[in-house]
Amino acid sequence: MCGIIGYIGNKEVYPVLINGLKRLAYRGYDSAGIALFQKNKATVYKKKGKVSELEKYCSDKDTGGHAGMGHTRWATHGEPNDLNAHPHTSMKGIFTIVHNGIIENFDKLKSDLSAKGYIFHTQTDTEILADLIEYLYLEEKVSAESAVRMALLKVVGAYGLVVMCNDEPDQLIAARKSSPLVIGIGEGEYFLASDATPMIEYTKSVVYLNDNDIAILTPKSFTLKTVDQGEEKAPDIRELEIGADEMEKKGYDYFMLKEIFEQPRTIENSLKGRINTDNKEIVLGGLTNVMPRILEARRIIMIACGTSWHAALIGKYIIEELARIPVEVEVASEYRYRKPVICPNDVVIAISQSGETADTLAAIRPAKEKGALVLGVCNVVGSSIARETHAGIYTHAGIEIGVASTKAFSAQLTVFILFALKLGHIRKTISDQRYSSVIGELLSVPEKIENILMSFPKIKEIATKYSGINNAIYIGRGCLFPVALEGALKLKEISYIHAEGYAAGEMKHGPIALVDNKLPVVVVAAQDRYYQKVVSNIQEVKARKGNIIAVITKGDNNLKNMVDDIFEIPESDSVVTPLLAVVPLQLFAYSIAILRNCNVDQPRNLAKSVTVE
Ligand code: M6R
């Protein structure tokens, strides 16, 4: 979703902003713009489309300056066009702002400002905020910082905001509520961004803004205050652990493909240091202090969106099987508005790659208020969810750039298996033998995935056969049912083919009506305890002339002869099978999307980090 970059210091600001916007492009956007302080005044350039369009537009313009800000916009209020692109300037031209989030009371603010003579040029809520700051600045005769604080106290909604004031040049003012902002601290320079990716090549020292924080940056100083009281506070400076090379494609055509192929290493990283090789004890350092509370839990509630929700569904199967604790899985956007029953002896787990998903973040707050223990399973270190939860487990998948989540999903599953094994071992709900054997299985997953990846040419061939389809159904049972959901989501989001996932047993209750000789049905059918049931489902589809593509266990000649096409995966314990079964489905979706000339890394309408609801 929208991305913000800001810089103030000795460097030429334009290249920092343009490179920063390119780094933020993975978040998803439809227009881009920059504002540069030039001769004590903000100069704004903005364009609909990619950052390259903006660069082209700026190529014959004066782009000098040492302070400024940039923005990639993912449209909420008003269509994507040059006018609605950020930055936005207040009516009298004193303030220029970039903004992520949504100003929910913008209609009311707009009519108040309109009554005071303000005229509006765009359809955005951001322009209203720029005008409100300007109005208060002139009316109350206060500093730019005070005007920003006063305006923000009138705002209902979410914001990550950067403000430039022509009367107070060489200063950037940034504030946050529910929309992330990070400040990078360099030598005589400061960076600002929605996430750390645009600044990792310049600095490793960062401060994550919290809600109600306002930061005032000059080339020489950085002051952090509260929005409501204006009280100065000490910044919590942290060190980034990511390297700039993680942002490169490393020879792959797309980040998504690179990330699919990285999965063996991802899983090794998720496991690293977490299984004691001497005594096979599982070490989840982030949970040590809260383990007694987890062990007393009456139930676990997992909250997530999208792919992370699919991972949570698989987590439910695994935790219930190995640790025998009841698990409920909730879609965050529903949960946050329900009146859920939450008890102090519940453990709530928020699962999120980005750690910034607005719905997931909002869903954990009432759980905290009701006294539940709230844990985070996040990939992005220092992200909002990671900071707002009591404790948690990082997935260590590395930066995921492709909008379609792949390696982050595998890392989430790996963490759930470790978590379930640890609980099951302590609670004695699994035998020592099963415990050791699942650990062994988990350790063998990277090699097994390498094996599956070698079949990419064959998967591409099968994808060619199906690249013209308009619909597909994915089915599975047990913990392979959410794998079917995930396979369908991957196909849908990057190739724009309508695909739905179902529990295989549900076919008879409706979806089977769709089956004819044109509909491909992708069946996730490993040799687990559901196998015979899935074989029956396959027979039923075959009897209606449906085309079956099946993920099968290597050597399963029975299914090989029964279905149209196969993706083979090595034999494995049922709790680790999802980690293997999802890989051919990711490659299948990727291959079809490429054959249909789709931009797999930045699919239309989608954003990597969904920071507004
Ligand atoms: O960062 P999160 O894991 O919280 O993101 C949740 C979803 O927005 C995300 O998984 C989305 O569904 C992806 N596009 C899936 O590929």
Side-chain angles (χ1 to χ4, degrees):
M1 222 143 244
C2 305
I4 285 178
I5 170 81
Y7 175 80
I8 190 158
N10 299 320
K11 290 187 174 60
E12 271 300 315
V13 66
Y14 177 73
V16 177
L17 297 184
I18 290 293
N19 291 338
L21 292 179
K22 285 181 183 164
R23 290 279 198 226
L24 292 167
Y26 80 100
R27 296 167 67 92
Y29 71 107
D30 41 53
S31 53
I34 54 170
L36 314 164
F37 262 133
Q38 294 177 322
K39 298 188 188 101
N40 297 345
K41 194 172 162 294
T43 307
V44 173
Y45 302 123
K46 51 189 192 173
K47 267 287 168 225
K48 179 186 167 185
K50 296 286 169 204
V51 177
S52 53
E53 295 296 319
L54 175 69
E55 256 184 309
K56 228 184 282 165
Y57 177 68
C58 291
S59 59
D60 58 352
K61 309 276 187 301
D62 174 6
T63 53
H66 299 276
M69 60 194 183
H71 189 267
T72 46
R73 174 176 188 251
W74 189 88
T76 56
H77 292 63
E79 64 174 280
N81 58 29
D82 292 355
L83 204 61
N84 288 334
H86 295 215
H88 288 284
T89 302
S90 56
M91 191 176 80
K92 295 179 181 152
I94 303 173
F95 286 89
T96 304
I97 77 173
V98 292
H99 163 229
N100 290 356
I102 294 181
I103 309 295
E104 287 168 14
N105 59 338
F106 95 105
D107 262 340
K108 163 90 175 68
L109 297 173
K110 189 173 181 176
S111 55
D112 290 353
L113 285 164
S114 175
K116 294 182 166 79
Y118 268 82
I119 295 164
F120 311 100
H121 306 284
T122 76
Q123 297 155 292
T124 67
D125 51 345
T126 303
E127 184 190 9
I128 311 297
L129 184 53
D131 287 337
L132 179 63
I133 296 170
E134 181 181 82
Y135 171 77
L136 292 166
Y137 174 76
L138 295 173
E139 191 66 15
E140 305 292 332
K141 299 191 175 36
V142 289
S143 64
E145 175 208 320
S146 298
V148 172
R149 286 186 32 236
M150 288 166 81
L152 292 180
L153 294 178
K154 293 182 187 296
V155 158
V156 178
Y159 52 79
L161 182 76
V162 188
V163 182
M164 289 165 56
C165 173
N166 287 353
D167 294 346
E168 298 178 26
D170 286 334
Q171 170 183 271
L172 299 177
I173 300 171
R176 166 198 162 129
K177 185 181 169 205
S178 302
S179 193
L181 271 183
V182 191
I183 290 172
I185 304 172
E187 295 282 322
E189 59 184 1
Y190 293 96
F191 302 82
L192 250 170
S194 303
D195 63 51
T197 53
M199 56 183 79
I200 49 182
E201 58 211 82
Y202 307 109
T203 181
K204 293 267 184 269
S205 300
V206 296
V207 174
Y208 295 95
L209 292 195
N210 288 316
D211 281 357
N212 194 35
D213 278 354
I214 181 165
I216 301 99
L217 307 177
T218 72
K220 294 202 177 72
S221 66
F222 158 40
T223 315
L224 193 62
K225 293 185 179 177
T226 55
V227 171
D228 51 2
Q229 304 295 330
E231 279 167 3
E232 210 168 314
K233 53 188 277 197
D236 174 10
I237 302 173
R238 301 189 184 200
E239 284 298 294
L240 286 176
E241 284 169 13
I242 38 179
D245 66 324
E246 283 191 54
M247 304 286 298
E248 306 302 330
K249 282 194 199 135
K250 296 187 181 154
Y252 287 93
D253 291 341
Y254 285 91
F255 280 109
M256 181 183 175
L257 190 62
K258 172 184 159 241
E259 287 156 7
I260 293 172
F261 273 80
E262 272 173 354
Q263 288 177 112
R265 298 295 81 73
T266 303
I267 291 165
E268 281 169 3
N269 287 337
S270 302
L271 293 173
K272 203 181 268 164
R274 286 173 167 167
I275 300 172
N276 183 325
T277 40
D278 296 335
N279 60 7
K280 290 260 164 49
E281 195 201 332
I282 290 171
V283 185
L284 298 172
L287 300 186
T288 309
N289 293 338
V290 292
M291 201 38 98
R293 268 191 84 183
I294 298 175
L295 292 169
E296 279 165 17
R298 198 174 60 98
R299 63 173 173 169
I300 292 172
I301 304 167
M302 299 175 105
I303 305 175
C305 301
T307 287
S308 296
W309 179 67
H310 296 158
L313 289 170
I314 297 170
K316 171 184 166 76
Y317 282 91
I318 297 171
I319 296 166
E320 289 188 344
E321 177 173 337
L322 300 181
R324 308 302 298 150
I325 301 174
V327 180
E328 291 168 19
V329 181
E330 302 275 355
V331 170
S333 55
E334 286 297 314
Y335 190 75
R336 65 179 288 192
Y337 290 115
R338 275 216 336 256
K339 289 200 166 55
V341 179
I342 307 168
C343 308
N345 55 0
D346 286 334
V347 170
V348 172
I349 309 182
I351 301 105
S352 174
Q353 185 288 127
S354 62
E356 301 294 350
T357 300
D359 284 323
T360 311
L361 192 54
I364 59 174
R365 289 179 178 150
K368 266 175 96 179
E369 279 160 24
K370 299 250 165 59
L373 175 70
V374 182
L375 307 178
V377 172
C378 297
N379 191 36
V380 178
V381 176
S383 55
S384 301
I385 293 174
R387 284 179 297 125
E388 286 206 22
T389 43
H390 296 119
I393 316 173
Y394 279 120
T395 51
H396 296 313
I399 298 178
E400 190 179 65
I401 307 273
V403 165
S405 188
T406 53
K407 64 174 183 172
F409 175 77
S410 305
Q412 289 165 341
L413 296 188
T414 306
V415 159
F416 293 148
I417 298 169
L418 288 173
F419 180 67
L421 278 172
K422 179 152 186 92
L423 296 187
H425 197 47
I426 302 175
R427 287 165 52 88
K428 303 209 179 317
T429 47
I430 44 169
S431 65
D432 288 351
Q433 194 210 350
R434 180 93 204 274
Y435 177 78
S436 300
S437 109
V438 177
I439 287 181
E441 285 278 337
L442 201 46
L443 292 170
S444 72
V445 165
E447 199 185 325
K448 287 180 178 170
I449 294 184
E450 295 283 12
N451 212 287
I452 300 168
L453 293 171
M454 285 191 314
S455 62
F456 184 36
K458 165 118 195 287
I459 295 172
K460 274 200 262 192
E461 245 174 64
I462 298 173
T464 313
K465 188 168 153 192
Y466 293 96
S467 63
I469 58 172
N470 295 320
N471 298 288
I473 286 184
Y474 285 63
I475 56 173
R477 281 181 183 252
C479 56
L480 298 181
F481 154 50
V483 173
L485 295 179
E486 176 58 9
L489 178 64
K490 287 290 89 85
L491 185 68
K492 177 161 37 193
E493 65 182 341
I494 60 171
S495 73
Y496 317 135
I497 293 169
H498 173 234
E500 296 302 333
Y502 290 99
E506 276 292 291
M507 280 299 273
K508 282 193 199 70
H509 302 284
I512 202 162
L514 297 169
V515 175
D516 62 13
N517 60 2
K518 287 181 216 70
L519 183 82
V521 180
V522 181
V523 187
V524 196
Q527 277 174 333
D528 54 17
R529 67 169 184 274
Y530 302 93
Y531 178 74
Q532 282 310 331
K533 304 275 170 211
V534 179
V535 171
S536 305
N537 295 127
I538 290 176
Q539 307 269 25
E540 288 153 10
V541 173
K542 283 286 358 148
R544 286 156 186 86
K545 300 196 168 27
N547 294 304
I548 307 249
I549 309 162
V551 178
I552 65 167
T553 308
K554 217 167 236 162
D556 181 349
N557 293 327
N558 172 37
L559 276 187
K560 204 172 188 172
N561 296 328
M562 201 182 291
V563 303
D564 298 275
D565 293 288
I566 52 159
F567 303 137
E568 287 181 307
I569 58 171
E571 199 182 339
S572 59
D573 186 288
S574 63
V575 297
V576 307
T577 307
L579 279 165
L580 307 179
V582 75
V583 178
L585 302 183
Q586 295 166 341
L587 287 171
F588 181 61
Y590 170 85
S591 306
I592 289 197
I594 293 295
L595 287 161
R596 293 165 75 105
N597 291 321
C598 298
N599 180 348
V600 295
D601 280 344
Q602 286 166 36
R604 70 182 180 210
N605 305 336
L606 293 182
K608 182 67 186 163
S609 180
V610 184
T611 49
V612 295
E613 59 172 305

Coordinates of all heavy atoms in Angstrom, one line a residue, residues 266-307:
T266 N 15.0 -20.5 3.5 CA 14.0 -19.8 4.5 C 13.7 -20.8 5.6 O 13.8 -20.4 6.8 CB 12.7 -19.6 3.7 OG1 13.0 -18.8 2.6 CG2 11.7 -18.8 4.6
I267 N 13.4 -22.0 5.3 CA 13.1 -23.0 6.4 C 14.3 -23.2 7.3 O 14.1 -23.3 8.5 CB 12.4 -24.2 5.7 CG1 11.1 -23.9 5.1 CG2 12.3 -25.3 6.8 CD1 10.5 -24.8 4.2
E268 N 15.4 -23.4 6.7 CA 16.6 -23.5 7.5 C 16.8 -22.3 8.4 O 17.1 -22.5 9.6 CB 17.9 -23.6 6.6 CG 18.0 -25.0 6.0 CD 19.1 -25.1 5.0 OE1 19.8 -24.1 4.7 OE2 19.2 -26.2 4.4
N269 N 16.6 -21.1 7.9 CA 16.7 -19.9 8.8 C 15.7 -19.9 9.9 O 15.9 -19.5 11.0 CB 16.6 -18.7 7.9 CG 17.9 -18.5 7.1 OD1 18.9 -19.0 7.5 ND2 17.8 -17.7 6.0
S270 N 14.4 -20.4 9.6 CA 13.4 -20.4 10.6 C 13.7 -21.4 11.7 O 13.3 -21.3 12.8 CB 12.0 -20.8 10.0 OG 11.7 -19.9 9.0
L271 N 14.5 -22.4 11.3 CA 14.8 -23.5 12.3 C 16.1 -23.2 13.0 O 16.3 -23.7 14.1 CB 15.0 -24.8 11.5 CG 13.8 -25.5 10.9 CD1 14.2 -26.7 10.1 CD2 12.8 -25.8 12.0
K272 N 16.9 -22.3 12.4 CA 18.3 -22.0 12.9 C 18.2 -21.7 14.4 O 17.5 -20.8 14.9 CB 18.9 -20.9 12.2 CG 20.4 -21.0 12.3 CD 21.1 -19.8 11.5 CE 21.4 -20.2 10.1 NZ 21.7 -19.0 9.3
G273 N 19.0 -22.4 15.2 CA 19.2 -22.1 16.6 C 17.9 -22.5 17.4 O 17.8 -22.2 18.6
R274 N 17.0 -23.1 16.8 CA 15.7 -23.4 17.5 C 15.6 -24.9 17.9 O 14.6 -25.2 18.6 CB 14.5 -22.9 16.7 CG 14.4 -21.4 16.8 CD 13.4 -20.8 15.9 NE 13.2 -19.4 16.2 CZ 12.5 -18.6 15.4 NH1 12.0 -19.0 14.3 NH2 12.3 -17.3 15.8
I275 N 16.5 -25.7 17.4 CA 16.4 -27.1 17.8 C 17.8 -27.5 18.3 O 18.8 -27.4 17.6 CB 16.1 -28.1 16.6 CG1 14.7 -27.7 16.0 CG2 16.1 -29.5 17.1 CD1 14.4 -28.4 14.7
N276 N 17.9 -27.7 19.6 CA 19.1 -28.1 20.3 C 19.6 -29.4 19.7 O 18.9 -30.4 19.9 CB 18.9 -28.1 21.8 CG 20.2 -28.3 22.5 OD1 21.1 -29.1 22.1 ND2 20.3 -27.7 23.7
T277 N 20.7 -29.5 19.1 CA 21.1 -30.7 18.4 C 21.5 -31.8 19.4 O 21.4 -33.0 19.1 CB 22.3 -30.5 17.5 OG1 23.2 -29.6 18.1 CG2 21.9 -29.9 16.1
D278 N 21.9 -31.4 20.7 CA 22.3 -32.5 21.6 C 21.0 -33.2 22.2 O 20.9 -34.4 22.1 CB 23.0 -31.8 22.8 CG 24.3 -31.3 22.3 OD1 24.9 -31.7 21.3 OD2 24.8 -30.3 23.0
N279 N 20.1 -32.4 22.7 CA 19.0 -33.0 23.4 C 17.7 -32.9 22.7 O 16.6 -33.2 23.2 CB 18.8 -32.5 24.9 CG 18.6 -31.0 24.8 OD1 18.4 -30.4 23.8 ND2 18.6 -30.4 26.0
K280 N 17.7 -32.3 21.5 CA 16.5 -32.1 20.6 C 15.5 -31.2 21.3 O 14.3 -31.2 20.9 CB 15.8 -33.5 20.3 CG 16.6 -34.3 19.3 CD 16.1 -34.2 18.0 CE 17.0 -34.7 16.8 NZ 17.6 -35.9 16.8
E281 N 15.9 -30.4 22.2 CA 14.9 -29.5 22.9 C 14.7 -28.3 21.9 O 15.6 -27.8 21.2 CB 15.5 -28.9 24.2 CG 14.5 -28.2 25.0 CD 15.0 -27.2 26.0 OE1 16.2 -27.4 26.4 OE2 14.3 -26.3 26.3
I282 N 13.4 -27.9 21.8 CA 13.0 -26.8 20.9 C 13.1 -25.5 21.7 O 12.6 -25.4 22.8 CB 11.6 -27.0 20.3 CG1 11.7 -28.1 19.3 CG2 11.1 -25.7 19.6 CD1 10.4 -28.6 18.8
V283 N 13.9 -24.5 21.2 CA 14.2 -23.3 21.9 C 13.4 -22.1 21.1 O 13.8 -21.8 20.0 CB 15.7 -23.0 21.9 CG1 16.0 -21.7 22.7 CG2 16.5 -24.2 22.4
L284 N 12.4 -21.6 21.7 CA 11.7 -20.4 21.2 C 12.0 -19.3 22.1 O 11.1 -19.0 23.0 CB 10.2 -20.7 20.9 CG 10.0 -21.9 20.0 CD1 8.5 -22.2 19.9 CD2 10.4 -21.5 18.5
G285 N 13.1 -18.6 22.0 CA 13.6 -17.6 22.9 C 12.5 -16.5 23.2 O 12.4 -16.1 24.4
G286 N 11.8 -16.1 22.2 CA 10.8 -15.0 22.4 C 9.7 -15.4 23.3 O 8.9 -14.5 23.7
L287 N 9.5 -16.7 23.5 CA 8.4 -17.1 24.3 C 8.7 -17.6 25.7 O 7.9 -17.9 26.6 CB 7.6 -18.3 23.6 CG 7.1 -18.1 22.2 CD1 6.3 -19.3 21.8 CD2 6.2 -16.8 22.2
T288 N 10.0 -17.6 26.0 CA 10.5 -18.1 27.3 C 9.7 -17.6 28.5 O 9.2 -18.3 29.3 CB 12.0 -17.9 27.5 OG1 12.6 -18.3 26.3 CG2 12.6 -18.6 28.7
N289 N 9.6 -16.2 28.5 CA 9.0 -15.6 29.7 C 7.5 -15.9 29.8 O 7.0 -15.8 30.9 CB 9.2 -14.1 29.7 CG 10.7 -13.8 29.9 OD1 11.4 -14.6 30.4 ND2 11.1 -12.6 29.4
V290 N 6.9 -16.1 28.7 CA 5.4 -16.3 28.7 C 5.0 -17.8 28.6 O 3.8 -18.0 28.7 CB 4.8 -15.5 27.6 CG1 4.9 -14.0 27.8 CG2 5.3 -15.8 26.2
M291 N 6.0 -18.7 28.6 CA 5.6 -20.1 28.4 C 4.7 -20.6 29.5 O 3.7 -21.3 29.2 CB 6.9 -20.9 28.4 CG 6.8 -22.3 27.7 SD 5.6 -22.4 26.3 CE 6.7 -22.3 24.9
P292 N 4.9 -20.2 30.8 CA 3.9 -20.7 31.8 C 2.5 -20.3 31.5 O 1.6 -21.1 31.6 CB 4.4 -20.0 33.1 CG 5.8 -19.7 32.9 CD 6.0 -19.4 31.4
R293 N 2.3 -19.1 31.0 CA 0.9 -18.7 30.6 C 0.4 -19.4 29.4 O -0.8 -19.8 29.3 CB 0.9 -17.2 30.3 CG 0.6 -16.4 31.6 CD 0.3 -14.9 31.3 NE -1.1 -14.7 30.8 CZ -1.6 -13.5 30.5 NH1 -0.8 -12.5 30.5 NH2 -2.9 -13.4 30.1
I294 N 1.3 -19.7 28.5 CA 0.8 -20.4 27.3 C 0.4 -21.8 27.7 O -0.7 -22.4 27.3 CB 1.9 -20.5 26.2 CG1 2.3 -19.1 25.7 CG2 1.5 -21.4 25.0 CD1 3.5 -19.1 24.8
L295 N 1.1 -22.4 28.6 CA 0.8 -23.8 29.1 C -0.5 -23.8 29.9 O -1.1 -24.9 30.0 CB 1.9 -24.4 29.9 CG 3.2 -24.6 29.0 CD1 4.4 -25.0 29.9 CD2 3.0 -25.8 28.0
E296 N -0.9 -22.7 30.4 CA -2.2 -22.7 31.1 C -3.4 -22.3 30.2 O -4.5 -22.3 30.7 CB -2.1 -21.7 32.3 CG -1.4 -22.2 33.5 CD -1.0 -21.0 34.4 OE1 -1.6 -19.9 34.3 OE2 -0.2 -21.3 35.3
A297 N -3.1 -22.0 29.0 CA -4.2 -21.5 28.1 C -5.3 -22.5 28.0 O -5.2 -23.7 27.8 CB -3.6 -21.2 26.7
R298 N -6.5 -21.9 28.0 CA -7.7 -22.6 27.8 C -7.9 -22.9 26.3 O -8.4 -23.9 25.9 CB -8.9 -21.8 28.3 CG -10.2 -22.6 28.6 CD -11.2 -21.6 29.3 NE -11.5 -20.5 28.4 CZ -12.6 -20.4 27.6 NH1 -13.4 -21.4 27.6 NH2 -12.8 -19.3 26.9
R299 N -7.5 -21.9 25.5 CA -7.6 -22.1 24.0 C -6.7 -21.1 23.4 O -6.2 -20.1 24.0 CB -9.0 -21.9 23.5 CG -9.5 -20.5 23.7 CD -10.8 -20.2 23.1 NE -11.2 -18.9 23.6 CZ -12.2 -18.1 23.1 NH1 -13.0 -18.6 22.2 NH2 -12.5 -17.0 23.6
I300 N -6.4 -21.3 22.1 CA -5.6 -20.4 21.3 C -6.5 -19.8 20.2 O -7.2 -20.5 19.6 CB -4.4 -21.1 20.7 CG1 -3.4 -21.6 21.8 CG2 -3.6 -20.3 19.7 CD1 -2.3 -22.5 21.3
I301 N -6.4 -18.5 20.1 CA -7.1 -17.9 19.0 C -6.1 -17.3 18.0 O -5.3 -16.5 18.4 CB -8.0 -16.7 19.5 CG1 -9.0 -17.3 20.6 CG2 -8.8 -16.1 18.3 CD1 -9.7 -16.2 21.4
M302 N -6.1 -17.7 16.7 CA -5.2 -17.2 15.8 C -5.9 -16.2 14.9 O -7.0 -16.5 14.3 CB -4.6 -18.4 14.9 CG -3.8 -19.4 15.8 SD -3.3 -20.8 14.9 CE -1.6 -20.4 14.7
I303 N -5.3 -15.1 14.7 CA -5.9 -14.0 13.9 C -5.0 -13.6 12.7 O -3.8 -13.4 13.0 CB -6.2 -12.8 14.8 CG1 -7.0 -13.1 16.0 CG2 -6.8 -11.7 14.0 CD1 -7.2 -12.0 17.0
A304 N -5.5 -13.5 11.5 CA -4.7 -13.2 10.4 C -5.5 -12.8 9.2 O -6.7 -12.9 9.2 CB -3.7 -14.4 10.1
C305 N -4.8 -12.5 8.1 CA -5.5 -12.2 6.8 C -4.8 -12.9 5.7 O -3.6 -13.2 5.8 CB -5.4 -10.7 6.5 SG -6.1 -9.6 7.7
G306 N -5.5 -13.2 4.6 CA -4.9 -13.7 3.4 C -4.1 -15.0 3.6 O -4.5 -15.9 4.3
T307 N -2.9 -15.0 3.0 CA -2.0 -16.2 3.1 C -1.7 -16.5 4.6 O -1.6 -17.7 5.0 CB -0.8 -15.9 2.3 OG1 -1.1 -16.0 0.9 CG2 0.3 -16.9 2.6

